[in-house]
Amino acid sequence: MKFLFFTSLLFSITSAIVVPRKANYDGYKVVRLDVGQNLAEVESLIDKLSLSTWNGGPKANSEVDVVVPADKVAEFESSTTNLDSKIMHQNLGASIAQESDYPVYAVGSANATWFNSYHAYTDHIQFLNDLRASFPSNSEIITAGNSLQGRPITGIHLYGTGLKGTKPAVVFHGTVHAREWITTMTVEYFAYSLLSGYASNAEIKGLLNKYDFYIFPVVNPDGFVYTQTNDRLWRKNRQAPPSGSSCYGRDINRNWNYQWSTPGGSSTDPCAEDFRGRAAADAPETVVLSNYVNKLAAAPQKLKLYIDYHSYSQLFMTPYGYSCSVVTANNAEYQSLARGVVAAIKAVYGTVFQAGPICPTIYQVSGSSVDYLTDVTKAQYAFTSELRDTGNYGFVLPANQILPSGVEAFAGLRYLLANLK
């Protein structure tokens, strides 16, 4: 959910691309600055060096994660000697290369070793097919529809005893923002854990017998592929630039047809990372995803739970994003559930998440899936989560954190499912 902050109408390296080419981050640094009372100074520096950030614009008495190109490192460092800072990536290009050194997936090996590394997009699709082949009585491959470039938005439907598709629906989305690779792996960990635990774990068996799970690890496949072929830090889909611009992509999570034009929660600038599009739901991915959840909600068994997974910040959040003052009628229940999820996550490894409504907890978000699912689709519950971490590595999270991220998030999910009314 994090977006890059722009202080002028300069094009970013990940947005203003006329001819796609491989982005090179060798020598780039990512630095966390303690803004303190030096807001004007930090804003001036970001503007002067045309820097981007990973966690929104700088705010007083907060921290900002700044991406510094190789040719600006010296000036940046000389200009920040009076500020407390922490290096997140000494050489961003090297960190990306290490993260992207994933092994060739052996077809048919849908087991726990999958979570030892990140993987190519085609291997993710194969992994889902191998899960289905390993557990044919409890799963099937599904598609919500096609992306702009014609890739199926592929998921896996999990179910227990009885006729499939007749239990209340639970829907998970991952990789809405293309660079948030940990979400892909975490959502797949849910699918693997539910299927592999069905025969031996009474709790998991009860969950699959109670709900139909519709799990979509990559709902932005075009953007995800682009992160693996051209630019690891790409966020949006790959929609062509609107008239008068050379910048590609819509932010799918600012494009849902609810509170889409609410001021302050998205950008009208096609070059911005949170560009909402020219019209609500003008991204093909938004259309097919909304149609799919609405179809589930229209069935007699309804849509029980929706969770949209993002990174990074370690948050578990409730509606709404479009307003920092409006809450749901059952907000007290929502906050109790969210606090319980956070406690369950912490109980595993001690990882600290924060809970609360989206807008006051992270920032204002208009045209989001959670708000749409809440007020249009009428899902009984809708949440979003920001996974690991809180600023040690940001989007480029080492592979050795994949498994613990999945394990702790699954603990939170089990608590949630056990406590829904």
Side-chain angles (χ1 to χ4, degrees):
M1 187 176 287
K2 293 293 196 247
F3 57 87
L4 299 181
F5 173 71
F6 296 93
T7 57
S8 68
L9 294 179
L10 294 172
F11 291 166
S12 77
I13 192 168
T14 58
S15 290
I17 300 175
V18 177
V19 179
R21 61 183 184 274
K22 186 75 171 180
N24 183 357
Y25 293 100
D26 290 347
Y28 277 54
K29 284 189 176 183
V30 184
V31 182
R32 167 159 285 193
L33 289 178
D34 186 349
V35 179
Q37 295 297 312
N38 304 293
L39 178 59
E41 177 184 346
V42 173
E43 287 180 329
S44 176
L45 179 63
I46 289 174
D47 185 57
K48 176 184 176 183
L49 299 183
S50 301
L51 304 179
S52 61
T53 75
W54 277 0
N55 60 339
K59 299 176 183 178
N61 300 313
S62 66
E63 296 171 319
V64 61
D65 300 340
V66 184
V67 182
V68 187
D71 61 352
K72 297 178 181 179
V73 167
E75 184 175 0
F76 174 84
E77 291 180 341
S78 66
S79 300
T80 55
T81 55
N82 63 316
L83 300 176
D84 291 335
S85 64
K86 180 182 73 173
I87 301 296
M88 295 171 61
H89 293 279
Q90 183 69 33
N91 183 338
L92 181 58
S95 298
I96 290 172
Q98 183 177 21
E99 176 199 51
S100 302
D101 186 23
Y102 30 77
V104 176
Y105 174 64
V107 176
S109 57
N111 55 50
T113 63
W114 174 257
F115 304 100
N116 292 337
S117 65
Y118 295 100
H119 301 276
Y121 171 71
T122 54
D123 288 343
H124 284 284
I125 303 304
Q126 186 62 52
F127 176 77
L128 293 181
N129 279 279
D130 289 345
L131 273 183
R132 181 208 58 80
S134 298
F135 303 97
S137 298
N138 300 108
S139 64
E140 64 179 352
I141 297 299
I142 53 176
T143 58
N146 289 340
S147 69
L148 175 74
Q149 296 178 349
R151 293 182 177 90
I153 298 177
T154 304
I156 188 166
H157 173 204
L158 315 183
Y159 44 85
T161 58
L163 189 64
K164 65 184 179 183
T166 59
K167 312 288 176 58
V170 174
V171 178
F172 303 138
H173 284 173
T175 331
V176 176
H177 294 144
R179 62 190 173 199
E180 297 167 8
W181 287 9
I182 188 60
T183 69
T184 322
M185 302 301 299
T186 298
V187 170
E188 287 172 346
Y189 183 82
F190 296 165
Y192 171 76
S193 297
L194 289 166
L195 288 173
S196 63
Y198 182 76
S200 59
N201 186 298
E203 177 193 1
I204 290 176
K205 186 171 186 176
L207 292 176
L208 275 180
N209 288 342
K210 186 176 182 179
Y211 299 112
D212 277 271
F213 291 83
Y214 301 86
I215 300 177
F216 293 92
V218 183
V219 300
N220 180 8
D222 300 345
F224 184 63
V225 168
Y226 196 77
T227 66
Q228 298 193 326
T229 59
N230 290 79
D231 188 346
R232 173 62 183 85
L233 298 183
W234 185 260
R235 168 185 165 98
K236 299 181 283 186
N237 74 356
R238 288 296 300 162
Q239 208 150 339
S243 176
S245 176
S246 60
C247 296
Y248 280 74
R250 267 77 163 155
D251 182 343
I252 297 173
N253 201 40
R254 303 295 189 278
N255 193 244
W256 291 68
N257 193 12
Y258 183 68
Q259 299 291 339
W260 171 79
S261 60
T262 300
S266 62
S267 177
T268 59
D269 178 3
C271 298
E273 294 288 352
D274 60 339
F275 175 51
R276 67 190 187 195
R278 289 301 194 207
D282 68 349
E285 295 84 358
T286 310
V287 173
V288 299
L289 293 171
S290 59
N291 287 345
Y292 195 89
V293 294
N294 288 338
K295 181 180 179 181
L296 291 175
Q301 64 272 16
K302 304 295 184 181
L303 202 167
K304 186 74 171 182
L305 172 66
Y306 170 78
I307 308 180
D308 187 20
Y309 284 92
H310 294 265
S311 71
Y312 60 97
S313 282
Q314 295 175 194
L315 307 171
F316 195 80
M317 296 177 288
T318 65
Y320 291 101
Y322 76 90
S323 171
C324 288
S325 58
V326 178
V327 295
T328 61
N330 61 336
N331 183 60
E333 180 190 5
Y334 257 120
Q335 301 316 313
S336 177
L337 288 169
R339 289 191 297 269
V341 170
V342 165
I345 290 172
K346 184 178 181 181
V348 182
Y349 302 114
T351 308
V352 177
F353 276 57
Q354 302 296 323
I358 295 167
C359 185
T361 302
I362 185 168
Y363 42 63
Q364 187 182 4
V365 179
S366 57
S368 74
S369 63
V370 168
D371 290 358
Y372 181 95
L373 266 287
T374 301
D375 283 358
V376 179
T377 304
K378 302 295 185 181
Q380 186 172 348
Y381 301 95
F383 298 88
T384 186
S385 184
E386 297 275 350
L387 300 173
R388 291 189 179 196
D389 57 10
T390 55
N392 289 323
Y393 301 100
F395 298 119
V396 187
L397 193 70
N400 62 11
Q401 295 201 35
I402 295 172
L403 185 58
S405 179
V407 171
E408 66 193 13
F410 190 56
L413 176 63
R414 288 162 67 177
Y415 169 86
L416 183 61
L417 290 169
N419 287 277
L420 299 179
K421 289 183 179 179

